Each structure stands twice: as structure tokens, then as C-alpha cells.
Amino acid sequence: KLTRTQQKNLERLGGVNPADETFSRRQFITQVGGTGLVAGGALAAGLLVRDRWGMEGVKPPPPVRLKDYSVSLSPSKPNLVVVRSTPPRADQFDSREAELQAREDQAFRMVKAALDTMGGDKGIGQFITKGDVVVIKPNVAFDKNPDLAATTQPDTVSAVVKLCFGAGARKVIVADNPINNPESCFFKTKVGEAAVRAGAELMMPQDSYFEQLYVGGETITHTWRMFYRPFREATKVIGISPVKDHNLCKATVTMKN
């Protein structure tokens, strides 16, 4: 409502009181719609400035965590066993294939003897049960011949795979993230051939197989990008590292795998 002074000025200047003028539906839509477009444009511009690539609603998944794969041992059983044997001599065999088979058989007997000592009456059944999905992680870091002992011995990998299947494992996956080219490493170390021949699935790293793993340690305080794919379905994990010396740690044994 206009004041008396506003009404006099309106009459003197020949104006029209807006309150007395009709306001069509089209005018309402035009004006309100225009205001909405201006407001919407301003909002969109604000979002564009803050989120240039349209990633505001895209957030990375939370980091994965490794399950606890540990197995309890009886206090009366050792958690470290040493098995010694004399390797077969090449001149004892008529062919290279016969020698390789003899080496695999010997490795099988040695690994089984160690697990029988640690597992007691259950043997490997103390560690692997029916239906398990077992990930075996050898050290296949370099594309070196197994005779150089820089990587895990293929005979040992074959023995562990066979023992896992013998205990009722549903699947055995052999996987590593080598320093050198993965295909070349698994080929030259003969670990890939031994694993597949024993019935395992060989899994090599691919970019899509890596995920951020939560570590939360003193040095790596949050996450580390890990070759996680083989561990996604694993129920048991076995590390098989070569027993060798190291210029920093002297003897790495199972520490550097």
C-alpha cells in the first residue's frame, strides 16, 4: 500500500499504481522463470569454479584391509623346522625330465616332513582345510635361473601346491609382483611352469588388480598400493621365500618376501 505522499507523486507524474494493475500469468512465469535461470546459472557457475572436472560426487572407495590368515599351533609343536637332504645328481638320470621329476619328488618329501612335524597327526591339515582358497606367494622378483638361488625354488612351489590340494583346498593361486617383467620372471625362474603343472592358477599383476591397502604403521601411516586381487578370495596365505643372504640384513629367510 502506497503512502499519501507516494500517491500524490504518482498522480502528479501520471504514473500507475502497480497494485491496481493486472499481472498476467505469462508475465509471472516470464519474470519468475528469468529469475530462476539467473539463480541457477549463478549456482552452476559456482560449482564449476569449485569442481572444474565434475568429480564432486565421485569419491575413492575406502582402503581395503587384509584378513588375519594366521593359524594357531599347539604349544608342544615347533614353529620352525629345518629339513636337510642331498640333491639328486644329474649323472644319475638318463634325461633332464627324469632329473626334474626326482627333484620335485624330493622337495615334496622334504616339505611334507616339515609340515608333519609342525602339524602333528594332522600334518598340513593343521594349516589347510577342505574348501580353502590358498594364495601362495613366492619370491619371483628377478628373471633369473633357479640355479642362482635368487628366487624361490620351483620344486618347493610345486610341492606346496600339491600338498594343499591333497589337504582339500578348492583352489590354489600362485602370485607375485616381481621387480622385473612378470612374464619373464615367472618363465625364467620356472616357478610359473611348476605352479601350473601342479594344478595352481597363475596370477600376474595388472593395473586393475591393485588397490589401496590400509597399513597404519609407523612408517607407512595410512595406505599402500597393493597387488590385492589374489587376496580378495583367499582364506589362507602361504609365503615361500628363498633362504639367502642379503647385504643389509645378512640372512633374510622369510623377512624379505
Side-chain angles (χ1 to χ4, degrees), residues 100-123:
L100 292 176
Q101 185 62 54
R103 287 179 177 272
E104 285 194 0
D105 292 343
Q106 183 189 59
F108 183 89
R109 292 192 298 270
M110 293 175 69
V111 174
K112 186 176 184 301
L115 293 174
D116 286 346
T117 303
M118 296 175 70
D121 295 337
K122 292 183 177 179

Side-chain angles (χ1 to χ4, degrees), residues 1-229:
K1 184 178 180 180
L2 299 179
T3 63
R4 181 177 295 178
T5 302
Q6 289 172 331
Q7 184 67 37
K8 286 183 178 181
N9 289 336
L10 189 64
E11 293 173 354
R12 181 171 58 83
L13 296 173
V16 178
N17 185 351
D20 297 334
E21 187 180 44
T22 58
F23 196 72
S24 68
R25 182 179 179 184
R26 177 172 295 181
Q27 287 175 306
F28 174 80
I29 293 174
T30 302
Q31 293 191 17
V32 173
T35 304
L37 287 174
V38 171
L43 178 62
L47 289 174
L48 183 61
V49 170
R50 195 180 72 171
D51 184 23
R52 292 182 59 192
W53 308 110
M55 301 296 289
E56 183 72 22
V58 180
K59 294 182 180 180
V64 296
R65 295 174 183 260
L66 282 177
K67 293 176 284 188
D68 182 2
Y69 302 108
S70 60
V71 177
S72 299
L73 284 176
S74 170
S76 62
K77 298 300 179 184
N79 55 19
L80 176 64
V81 176
V82 177
V83 181
R84 294 182 176 91
S85 182
T86 302
R89 298 200 326 260
D91 59 8
Q92 295 176 321
F93 305 96
D94 297 331
S95 65
R96 177 64 173 167
E97 289 73 20
E99 179 190 355
L100 292 176
Q101 185 62 54
R103 287 179 177 272
E104 285 194 0
D105 292 343
Q106 183 189 59
F108 183 89
R109 292 192 298 270
M110 293 175 69
V111 174
K112 186 176 184 301
L115 293 174
D116 286 346
T117 303
M118 296 175 70
D121 295 337
K122 292 183 177 179
I124 192 174
Q126 176 68 32
F127 310 96
I128 306 298
T129 56
K130 186 176 181 180
D132 270 337
V133 175
V134 183
V135 169
I136 293 177
K137 198 284 182 192
N139 185 331
V140 196
F142 309 104
D143 53 354
K144 303 294 184 182
N145 188 285
D147 293 339
L148 297 175
T151 53
T152 301
Q153 290 296 304
D155 301 339
T156 307
V157 174
S158 172
V160 176
V161 171
K162 292 175 181 177
L163 286 166
C164 288
F165 279 125
R170 178 171 61 86
K171 181 193 290 189
V172 178
I173 301 171
V174 174
D176 191 21
N177 183 26
I179 295 173
N180 297 146
N181 177 271
E183 288 79 5
S184 178
C185 288
F186 275 98
F187 176 75
K188 287 188 178 179
T189 61
K190 297 182 172 57
V191 169
E193 177 187 353
V196 172
R197 190 168 61 248
E201 173 186 335
L202 193 63
M203 187 176 294
M204 298 187 191
Q206 300 180 23
D207 188 64
S208 61
Y209 289 176
F210 284 76
E211 296 189 44
Q212 291 296 329
L213 173 75
Y214 177 76
V215 179
E218 293 185 6
T219 302
I220 304 174
T221 58
H222 189 49
T223 62
W224 183 263
R225 192 167 182 264
M226 178 195 173
F227 178 28
Y228 184 72
R229 175 63 184 83

Side-chain angles (χ1 to χ4, degrees), residues 235-255:
T235 57
K236 299 288 172 58
V237 175
I238 300 175
I240 310 178
S241 55
V243 180
K244 61 180 183 179
D245 58 2
H246 189 267
N247 61 338
L248 294 177
C249 301
K250 305 307 181 185
T252 57
V253 194
T254 60
M255 290 187 295

